[in-house]
Amino acid sequence: MMALPVSGGGDGGGGTIADAVSGLVVLYCAIRLVRDRRRPLSRTAAVVFALPVVGIALAAAGAASPGAGITGLVRYLQIFVLVPAAVMLLIRDRRDARLVAWSLIGLALWQGAIGVHQYATGTGASYMGEEIRAVGTFGATDVMGMATVVSFGVVCALGLALGAGPGRQRTVAALCSLALLLPLALSFSRGAWIATAVTCGAQLALAGMRRAVKVFAVAVAASVILVGGLGVGTAMLQERISSITQVADAPDQSVTDRYTMWAAAIDMWRDQPLTGVGLKGFPDHRDGNASLALSSGSDTEGAGAGFKRQPLLSPHNMYLLVLSEQGLLGLLALAGSWLALLVCGLRRLFAARRRAPLGLDCALVACGLLTWQLVDFAYADIGGPSTALTAVLFGLGAWWALASEEAGDR
């Protein structure tokens, strides 16, 4: 469903087909559990998934209106509890996990191909006055959508390539990871670049330093050919890359807006340190806590849509969004569950390297996706049509981290 064009312009104002399908997945999983009459979760998994529920429920009770509380409660439970738990329970073995990974790669290749075509034909989202930004089917109002999907594809492909699977599978996965670097670059998404670079570096280090050096050399050579040899977006890419180092010295308006909203989120937390201002409460309290440096919104245009002024309704930092709306209790509960998944996943990864190398590819994929998301959350938050994939990501990570030892070894 994520491969289909987003209806309604992709403004994130309502549910998508992918959200509806994720609900059906949860329902199907519940029916299977009742039919099979088996205990759904281990004690550790139950604790990890129950932690976020506490903070989310408290924040929903403190929402400005019952409607906002219920909407926020359902959304958070969908992304961080229900769908991840269903995905974890429905994945039976490594074959299923690889199927999910290859599905993400296939989706990334599809969206990336559309994005490259948008750049080549000038039919993408507007960037610096030109409609060249690759956004895939997500539209100009969700410029992070394609970048997120392609990043997931790169991480999955690299994990499969670094594993101990069949040589043909590893070769195809390596070629896919290299091919996806082009649409990732043409997304002009600094956040996706940073998260992908950090994650791929971590995957290479976890797979072994000797292999890391070889893959790094290939990636550098591919980058030189794409950017230096073929001249793929050279000037704009160089300017965008150099702007990463200027976020403190000479930030552009988008970075200034982000800093301003971060400061506003912290001020909201100071007013309500334990429970926050309530779910969906950031937009209502933004103007009362933000400085005059905040602009009224961001301009979006292109990719089949006309000019639109998109309001800034979140701090674009998941940790600060949770802190402002759910307080310290909510942040510790939600981020604690994410950290528990990553720690448990890394522990099993090291165990797989010693005794079951055939499962290393699944470990690298699962831990890589978790790492990417936790890094990306430092300058992005949930919202938009691509959010449903975040739930699948956490589900795959939970399968590796919390499923029984037998399931991970099969």
Side-chain angles (χ1 to χ4, degrees):
M1 296 300 101
M2 205 67 68
L4 301 177
V6 177
S7 60
D11 58 3
T16 64
I17 299 177
D19 292 322
V21 172
S22 71
L24 294 178
V25 170
V26 174
L27 179 61
Y28 171 72
C29 181
I31 293 174
R32 279 194 56 181
L33 292 176
V34 173
R35 185 190 62 186
D36 296 342
R37 297 181 181 179
R38 64 185 179 93
R39 180 179 178 181
L41 300 173
S42 65
R43 183 176 301 177
T44 302
V47 171
V48 170
F49 283 119
L51 273 176
V53 177
V54 178
I56 296 170
L58 288 175
S65 66
I70 294 174
T71 302
L73 177 67
V74 171
R75 187 60 162 168
Y76 272 91
L77 291 180
Q78 173 204 2
I79 302 303
F80 299 117
V81 180
L82 297 177
V83 176
V87 172
M88 183 192 77
L89 293 170
L90 291 174
I91 295 178
R92 296 163 297 184
D93 49 29
R94 292 200 304 264
R95 182 181 300 178
D96 286 355
R98 293 189 185 103
L99 177 60
V100 175
W102 279 111
S103 298
L104 291 173
I105 294 172
L107 176 61
L109 290 172
W110 167 251
Q111 292 287 353
I114 295 176
V116 172
H117 178 267
Q118 290 171 333
Y119 174 84
T121 59
T123 56
S126 178
Y127 178 77
M128 297 183 66
E130 299 182 51
E131 295 186 355
I132 59 172
R133 188 168 190 174
V135 293
T137 64
F138 294 97
T141 55
D142 185 21
V143 294
M144 280 295 295
M146 190 213 73
T148 299
V149 171
V150 171
S151 298
F152 289 170
V154 172
V155 172
C156 290
L158 183 59
L160 293 173
L162 294 174
R168 181 178 298 179
Q169 173 184 279
R170 293 168 56 191
T171 300
V172 173
L175 293 175
C176 289
S177 65
L178 292 176
L180 288 171
L181 293 179
L182 177 57
L184 180 61
L186 299 180
S187 70
F188 295 99
S189 174
R190 293 172 294 196
W193 293 348
I194 295 172
T196 303
V198 171
T199 301
C200 290
Q203 285 178 303
L204 290 170
L206 290 171
M209 294 307 299
R210 182 180 300 178
R211 186 180 297 175
V213 173
K214 295 180 181 179
V215 176
F216 179 75
V218 173
V220 171
S223 301
V224 171
I225 293 174
L226 287 174
V227 178
L230 301 180
V232 177
T234 304
M236 288 187 178
L237 281 176
Q238 288 180 350
E239 182 177 351
R240 191 66 166 173
I241 292 173
S242 64
S243 69
I244 296 176
T245 62
Q246 299 171 354
V247 294
D249 297 333
D252 55 31
Q253 184 58 48
S254 65
V255 176
T256 300
D257 287 339
R258 190 161 302 190
Y259 287 162
T260 304
M261 290 188 294
W262 288 2
I266 293 176
D267 288 341
M268 294 179 201
W269 166 67
R270 287 172 177 167
D271 293 337
Q272 300 287 339
L274 288 181
T275 58
V277 298
L279 292 184
K280 300 288 185 178
F282 182 88
D284 296 334
H285 294 78
R286 184 199 64 181
D287 293 341
N289 292 274
S291 68
L292 296 178
L294 181 66
S295 64
S296 59
S298 58
D299 298 337
T300 62
E301 189 177 10
F307 176 83
K308 182 179 180 181
R309 189 72 171 170
Q310 193 170 7
L312 304 174
L313 302 179
S314 71
H316 294 288
N317 180 305
M318 190 65 198
Y319 303 108
L320 291 180
L321 176 63
V322 175
L323 185 65
S324 62
E325 293 188 345
Q326 302 182 34
L328 189 59
L329 293 177
L331 180 63
L332 291 177
L334 195 55
S337 69
W338 302 336
L339 184 60
L341 287 179
L342 183 59
V343 170
C344 292
L346 290 173
R347 185 187 64 182
R348 293 194 64 182
L349 185 150
F350 292 125
R353 287 178 55 179
R354 293 192 301 268
R355 61 181 176 81
L358 290 178
L360 183 60
D361 55 348
C362 295
L364 291 172
V365 169
C367 294
L369 289 174
L370 287 174
T371 301
W372 189 96
Q373 192 63 74
L374 296 185
V375 173
D376 183 70
F377 273 167
Y379 34 78
D381 48 47
I382 58 174
S386 61
T387 302
L389 280 184
T390 301
V392 177
L393 176 158
F394 277 109
L396 184 58
W399 168 80
W400 175 256
L402 304 175
S404 64
E405 295 290 337
E406 293 78 9
D409 292 339
R410 290 198 302 268

